[in-house]
Amino acid sequence: MKYLSTGGGHETDLVGAIIQGLAPDGRLYVPEALPQFDPVELKADSIPEIATTLLEPFFSGSALAPSLAEICREALNFPIPLRSLDARDGPVAVLELFHGPTAAFKDVGARFLAASMERALPGLDAHDARPLTILVATSGDTGGAVAAAFHRRPGFRVGVLFPKGQVSPRQQHQLTCWGDNIRSFEVNGSFDDCQALVKGAFGDPAISSTHRLGAANSINVGRLLPQVVYHAAASLWHWREHGGTANFIVPTGNLGNAMACIWARAIGMPIGEIILATNANRTIPDFLATGDWQPHASIQTLASAMDVGDPSNMERLRHLYPALVDLRDRIEAYPVDDEAIRDQIARDYERYGDIWCPHTATGFRVYDELPAASKRDAWIVAATAHPAKFDNIVEAIIGAPVDVPPALAALLERPTHVEPIEADLVALGDSLEAWKYN
Ligand SMILES: *Cc1c(COP(=O)(O)O)cnc(C)c1O
């Protein structure tokens, strides 16, 4: 399988796409063709088995192909249950993506990417003994997932950059509790400053020649591919048990999770409609409504991991459906503002005892507002994070404590360490310089 830049100018294999992250033209890699599967012929049932079967064509011809089964077993080693919800307006289930080490769906992509990169590394430059230093800017969940995935992995170090005072207390704990080969830089600035620093480090001749830098951004195809798997698995489980397709609602920020769902349908999985739920950052719903692509600076909402005003994966979606009429035919999107998020969390707790994180709540709001006729069909709503991660928001809304899952509780007991830095490249360069190789 070749991977092509959406800009058209570059092609590489899977290892190249994973290691480079972005194509040299600054655009995103997409598979040159999507393989087709027939659900009738698929026998795999567990997540690692389904992953190994579905991802085989995506790995074919690359140095990682022989390791695929092992990567799937190692990375996808936690439950991703599909739980039916009773007493609703129609058949609806929640796909719980938050049972990994940092309690958000980003664990899936980060762990898969780390397992793939570790196996790709020896083939890259045998003469370079320096570890790969992965720099990741985060507004919350990505940094923790990437740190957890690379923690104590030989050959790698991770520098996590997060904006001071702008992540939830528990998110901050997850960004700063690792030690060993992970460093956490608390940047005196915004998330955009953090991103600019990472970009600047790659572009800085001194920094990029002293260190061997690598990226693990959410646009990496090595993070999208495993996300295809759980959407595929949920649709297959539903189809085997009930017959017929299931419709999906996916909380959406940068469009990574939803893009993976769209690819799952495009390779032949029994998925019907796909609806994207955004927060008040409504670039995608507005685009579908008006046909005008108007990215804007992100605005802060309760569902902070979805605060994206210029979703980068839109490029992949438009590559798949270049014509607006096809796009509108295949995808719907609705925005959910903070007031509706609060209301949905309170309401579903009162009615059903279910507790959603603010991101997941956007999905259930969209479900609630479907027309009654549509609710006769089967729906699956993706739950992207555990509510205990956002206890500071959720507990105040429901007026009750949220139980902390064991994996998260264990992390919260680890001591933390942060390194405050100013939002400038010299400060980052000095900190990296002082971070001795060992
Ligand atoms: C990252 C994230 C999202 C948004 O996912 P995208 O792939 O960026 O669309 C939603 N919910 C949570 C909890 C997240 O961490």
Side-chain angles (χ1 to χ4, degrees), residues 104-106 141-142 218 227 251-258 305-306 308 313 357 359-360 384-385 390:
F105 84 86
K106 295 199 172 68
D141 286 336
T142 296
S218 62
Q227 293 172 183
T252 295
N254 204 30
L255 201 55
N257 201 17
M306 292 161 40
V308 182
N313 279 299
C357 87
H359 313 84
T360 305
T384 53
F390 302 92

Side-chain angles (χ1 to χ4, degrees), residues 43-107:
K43 299 293 172 257
D45 193 49
S46 72
I47 293 271
E49 284 165 6
I50 293 175
T52 308
T53 306
L54 296 185
L55 298 184
E56 201 249 352
F58 292 95
F59 272 60
S60 77
S62 94
L64 285 174
S67 312
L68 174 61
E70 192 183 87
I71 292 170
C72 294
R73 273 196 306 274
E74 179 195 303
L76 307 173
N77 67 342
F78 53 86
I80 304 185
L82 179 65
R83 184 166 66 86
S84 294
L85 301 175
D86 299 328
R88 306 298 158 120
D89 304 337
V92 56
V94 56
L95 180 61
E96 295 183 351
L97 304 176
F98 51 69
H99 296 281
T102 69
F105 84 86
K106 295 199 172 68
D107 283 322

Side-chain angles (χ1 to χ4, degrees), residues 4-10 25 27-28 315 319:
L4 311 179
S5 151
T6 52
H10 296 271
D25 58 2
R27 307 290 288 274
L28 309 190
E315 213 171 290
H319 185 265

Side-chain angles (χ1 to χ4, degrees), residues 62-305:
S62 94
L64 285 174
S67 312
L68 174 61
E70 192 183 87
I71 292 170
C72 294
R73 273 196 306 274
E74 179 195 303
L76 307 173
N77 67 342
F78 53 86
I80 304 185
L82 179 65
R83 184 166 66 86
S84 294
L85 301 175
D86 299 328
R88 306 298 158 120
D89 304 337
V92 56
V94 56
L95 180 61
E96 295 183 351
L97 304 176
F98 51 69
H99 296 281
T102 69
F105 84 86
K106 295 199 172 68
D107 283 322
V108 173
R111 289 175 60 75
F112 192 89
L113 180 66
S116 300
M117 278 178 127
E118 182 179 346
R119 287 163 178 85
L121 199 56
L124 292 184
D125 184 354
H127 302 294
D128 197 340
R130 294 173 301 170
L132 199 68
T133 299
I134 300 211
L135 293 179
V136 55
T138 186
S139 58
D141 286 336
T142 296
V146 170
F150 283 96
H151 184 222
R152 295 193 177 147
R153 210 175 268 277
F156 294 91
R157 323 190 295 177
V158 175
V160 176
L161 288 79
F162 68 94
K164 181 178 176 181
Q166 290 177 39
V167 299
S168 88
R170 281 190 180 163
Q171 281 178 322
Q172 171 145 351
H173 201 107
Q174 291 181 321
L175 297 173
T176 56
C177 70
W178 301 100
D180 302 310
N181 60 335
I182 315 289
R183 289 256 171 135
S184 310
F185 300 109
E186 180 183 58
V187 176
N188 189 13
S190 65
F191 170 60
D192 290 339
D193 294 328
C194 297
Q195 268 192 315
L197 278 179
V198 170
K199 246 193 159 155
F202 277 92
D204 182 279
I207 297 179
S208 64
S209 63
T210 307
H211 308 280
R212 193 179 175 200
L213 296 180
N217 323 2
S218 62
I219 45 79
N220 195 302
V221 78
R223 288 176 56 167
L224 280 197
L225 291 177
Q227 293 172 183
V228 171
V229 172
Y230 50 70
H231 294 111
S235 73
L236 287 169
W237 296 332
H238 173 86
W239 180 77
R240 288 171 189 165
E241 193 174 336
H242 305 284
T245 57
N247 302 324
F248 278 67
I249 298 175
V250 186
T252 295
N254 204 30
L255 201 55
N257 201 17
M259 194 61 224
C261 185
I262 294 162
W263 276 353
R265 180 175 62 187
I267 63 173
M269 294 301 109
I271 296 173
E273 290 175 48
I274 297 174
I275 303 186
L276 319 185
T278 71
N279 58 23
N281 290 278
R282 35 189 298 162
T283 309
I284 299 170
D286 285 351
F287 170 64
L288 289 179
T290 65
D292 259 343
W293 181 244
Q294 297 281 4
H296 56 73
S298 63
I299 55 176
Q300 284 190 13
T301 75
L302 292 173
S304 54

